[in-house]
Amino acid sequence: MTTDQRRERRMDGTEHGVDVGDHREFIEWLEANPEDGALEFRATGTAEETANRTRATIGDWALGGEEMGAEREHTLEFGLPVELEEAMGYLEATDRYEAIEGALAGLTACINGTIAYNAIREGIDVEDVTTTVRAPVDLRMLFGIHDVDRAHEMYGELEIDVEVTGALTPEERSMVREFYVRSPVYTLVTLEHPNRPKIDFRSAA
């Protein structure tokens, strides 16, 4: 059976918990209505009394300018591994995941999802995907040892390993190897997005 025949066979039914027909209809709708399909995701982080601990919430979002998810709320608690807090003088050390780890976890999820979506679109039989990301980090700029003009030295090269399971032809493997570049979070963390945060001040109560 050729790749095209396999692809045609998989254009109906269910793949990765998704109705393939409905999924393809969504893609066609998005192609025809890019403004209505524009997304805005948001997150809010509130600092806690202890340094570098933040309670982040994820809830409302927007689709095509329309507010969505008013009743939605997910909470993430960021901090440091307990060993780092102990070394840095925290009086009550605790273990949380670090913000960098949160970003890396989001990247793994996005690469996995991107490969699944594109496998569905192309009719490729991908059974499972596992992505592991490692980020070497130098914190000397964070703590004022290095000036900000050395920001480019903060990170070593990201190491991204993707393991794909499935009975794929050589042609399909070649296609899957390029799917990751379509990942929104991969784009977010690997391409430059110049930005200057807006900082407001208010008086303490």
Side-chain angles (χ1 to χ4, degrees):
M1 182 179 294
T2 67
T3 299
D4 288 341
Q5 288 173 325
R6 292 176 63 185
R7 186 174 301 150
E8 186 64 30
R9 188 186 69 180
R10 302 176 69 84
M11 288 299 98
D12 296 311
T14 301
E15 293 291 336
H16 298 280
V18 173
D19 183 289
V20 176
D22 289 347
H23 185 71
R24 292 179 66 82
E25 284 184 17
F26 172 81
I27 294 173
E28 291 170 1
W29 171 82
L30 181 60
E31 182 178 12
N33 304 275
E35 292 184 3
D36 290 338
L39 292 168
E40 180 182 279
F41 290 121
R42 307 159 182 167
T44 300
T46 301
E48 301 177 26
E49 290 185 5
T50 301
N52 199 52
R53 292 186 189 168
T54 288
R55 183 178 185 271
T57 55
I58 297 170
D60 60 311
W61 56 289
L63 174 64
E66 180 180 349
E67 294 296 310
M68 309 285 283
E71 303 302 319
R72 184 170 175 257
E73 183 172 333
H74 299 283
T75 302
L76 307 172
E77 293 186 337
F78 291 99
L80 290 167
V82 64
E83 294 85 356
L84 280 177
E85 289 200 341
E86 289 173 348
M88 294 167 64
Y90 280 65
L91 300 180
E92 296 183 8
T94 189
D95 187 73
R96 294 187 180 184
Y97 49 86
E98 212 277 337
I100 296 170
E101 294 173 313
L104 298 182
L107 176 57
T108 69
C110 198
I111 289 176
N112 289 350
T114 298
I115 291 174
Y117 285 147
N118 284 274
I120 292 170
R121 177 174 54 82
E122 295 291 347
I124 298 175
D125 188 14
V126 169
E127 295 179 10
D128 188 34
V129 184
T130 300
T131 298
T132 302
V133 183
R134 301 173 185 84
V137 186
D138 182 339
L139 296 182
R140 284 178 288 181
M141 186 180 75
L142 170 64
F143 291 109
I145 300 167
H146 285 174
D147 290 334
V148 295
D149 62 355
R150 298 179 66 174
H152 62 283
E153 299 177 15
M154 178 172 274
Y155 284 97
E157 184 174 350
L158 281 178
E159 298 178 25
I160 304 175
D161 296 315
V162 183
E163 183 178 282
V164 179
T165 304
L168 279 61
T169 67
E171 179 187 354
E172 290 171 336
R173 290 185 176 198
S174 180
M175 294 174 65
V176 170
R177 284 191 182 98
E178 301 303 318
F179 285 164
Y180 75 93
V181 297
R182 297 182 180 275
S183 159
V185 179
Y186 180 81
T187 297
L188 181 65
V189 302
T190 61
L191 298 184
E192 290 190 17
H193 301 277
N195 181 276
R196 187 173 181 85
K198 175 186 176 185
I199 300 179
D200 294 322
F201 296 92
R202 63 179 182 179
S203 300

